[in-house]
Short mmCIF file of all heavy atoms in Angstrom, two decimals:
data_model
loop_
_atom_site.label_atom_id
_atom_site.label_comp_id
_atom_site.label_asym_id
_atom_site.label_seq_id
_atom_site.Cartn_x
_atom_site.Cartn_y
_atom_site.Cartn_z
N LYS G 369 -16.63 -5.20 -0.66
CA LYS G 369 -17.24 -5.63 -1.90
C LYS G 369 -18.57 -4.94 -2.08
O LYS G 369 -18.92 -4.46 -3.21
CB LYS G 369 -17.47 -7.15 -1.87
CG LYS G 369 -18.27 -7.73 -3.12
CD LYS G 369 -17.39 -7.62 -4.35
CE LYS G 369 -18.11 -8.40 -5.48
NZ LYS G 369 -17.29 -8.31 -6.77
N THR G 370 -19.40 -4.87 -1.06
CA THR G 370 -20.63 -4.23 -1.04
C THR G 370 -20.51 -2.71 -1.35
O THR G 370 -21.40 -2.12 -2.03
CB THR G 370 -21.34 -4.35 0.32
OG1 THR G 370 -21.51 -5.79 0.65
CG2 THR G 370 -22.68 -3.75 0.34
N CYS G 371 -19.42 -2.15 -0.93
CA CYS G 371 -19.10 -0.71 -1.18
C CYS G 371 -18.71 -0.48 -2.65
O CYS G 371 -18.57 0.66 -3.11
CB CYS G 371 -18.04 -0.15 -0.26
SG CYS G 371 -18.48 -0.12 1.50
N GLY G 372 -18.43 -1.55 -3.41
CA GLY G 372 -18.06 -1.47 -4.79
C GLY G 372 -16.60 -1.42 -5.10
O GLY G 372 -16.21 -1.25 -6.27
N ALA G 373 -15.71 -1.72 -4.02
CA ALA G 373 -14.33 -1.72 -4.29
C ALA G 373 -13.87 -2.77 -5.21
O ALA G 373 -14.48 -3.86 -5.22
CB ALA G 373 -13.65 -1.86 -2.94
N ASP G 374 -12.79 -2.49 -5.98
CA ASP G 374 -12.22 -3.50 -6.85
C ASP G 374 -11.32 -4.49 -6.06
O ASP G 374 -11.33 -5.68 -6.34
CB ASP G 374 -11.39 -2.90 -7.91
CG ASP G 374 -12.18 -1.85 -8.75
OD1 ASP G 374 -13.03 -2.35 -9.48
OD2 ASP G 374 -11.82 -0.73 -8.76
N ARG G 375 -10.70 -3.97 -5.05
CA ARG G 375 -9.79 -4.73 -4.27
C ARG G 375 -9.88 -4.35 -2.79
O ARG G 375 -10.47 -3.37 -2.40
CB ARG G 375 -8.29 -4.47 -4.67
CG ARG G 375 -7.98 -4.95 -6.11
CD ARG G 375 -6.48 -4.79 -6.35
NE ARG G 375 -6.15 -5.19 -7.75
CZ ARG G 375 -4.86 -5.25 -8.23
NH1 ARG G 375 -3.88 -4.84 -7.45
NH2 ARG G 375 -4.66 -5.56 -9.42
N VAL G 376 -9.28 -5.23 -1.96
CA VAL G 376 -8.99 -4.91 -0.53
C VAL G 376 -7.48 -4.99 -0.39
O VAL G 376 -6.73 -5.81 -1.03
CB VAL G 376 -9.66 -5.81 0.49
CG1 VAL G 376 -11.19 -5.56 0.49
CG2 VAL G 376 -9.37 -7.29 0.20
N GLU G 377 -6.95 -4.11 0.54
CA GLU G 377 -5.59 -4.37 0.99
C GLU G 377 -5.60 -4.77 2.46
O GLU G 377 -6.13 -4.12 3.30
CB GLU G 377 -4.78 -3.00 0.81
CG GLU G 377 -3.36 -3.27 1.39
CD GLU G 377 -2.50 -2.00 1.17
OE1 GLU G 377 -2.71 -1.26 0.16
OE2 GLU G 377 -1.41 -1.84 1.94
N LEU G 378 -4.98 -5.92 2.76
CA LEU G 378 -5.00 -6.36 4.10
C LEU G 378 -3.93 -5.72 4.87
O LEU G 378 -2.76 -5.62 4.54
CB LEU G 378 -4.74 -7.90 4.08
CG LEU G 378 -5.80 -8.77 3.35
CD1 LEU G 378 -5.45 -10.31 3.44
CD2 LEU G 378 -7.20 -8.56 3.97
N TYR G 379 -4.35 -5.24 6.13
CA TYR G 379 -3.41 -4.59 7.04
C TYR G 379 -2.54 -5.64 7.70
O TYR G 379 -3.06 -6.40 8.60
CB TYR G 379 -4.24 -3.75 8.04
CG TYR G 379 -3.34 -3.20 9.18
CD1 TYR G 379 -2.21 -2.45 9.04
CD2 TYR G 379 -3.81 -3.49 10.49
CE1 TYR G 379 -1.54 -1.97 10.13
CE2 TYR G 379 -3.13 -2.95 11.59
CZ TYR G 379 -2.00 -2.24 11.41
OH TYR G 379 -1.31 -1.74 12.47
N THR G 380 -1.22 -5.77 7.36
CA THR G 380 -0.44 -6.93 7.74
C THR G 380 0.38 -6.78 8.95
O THR G 380 1.15 -7.69 9.34
CB THR G 380 0.42 -7.38 6.55
OG1 THR G 380 1.15 -6.29 6.04
CG2 THR G 380 -0.42 -7.97 5.46
#
Side-chain angles (χ1 to χ4, degrees):
K369 176 70 173 183
T370 303
C371 293
D374 301 296
R375 295 185 181 185
V376 289
E377 178 174 333
L378 299 180
Y379 168 55
T380 50

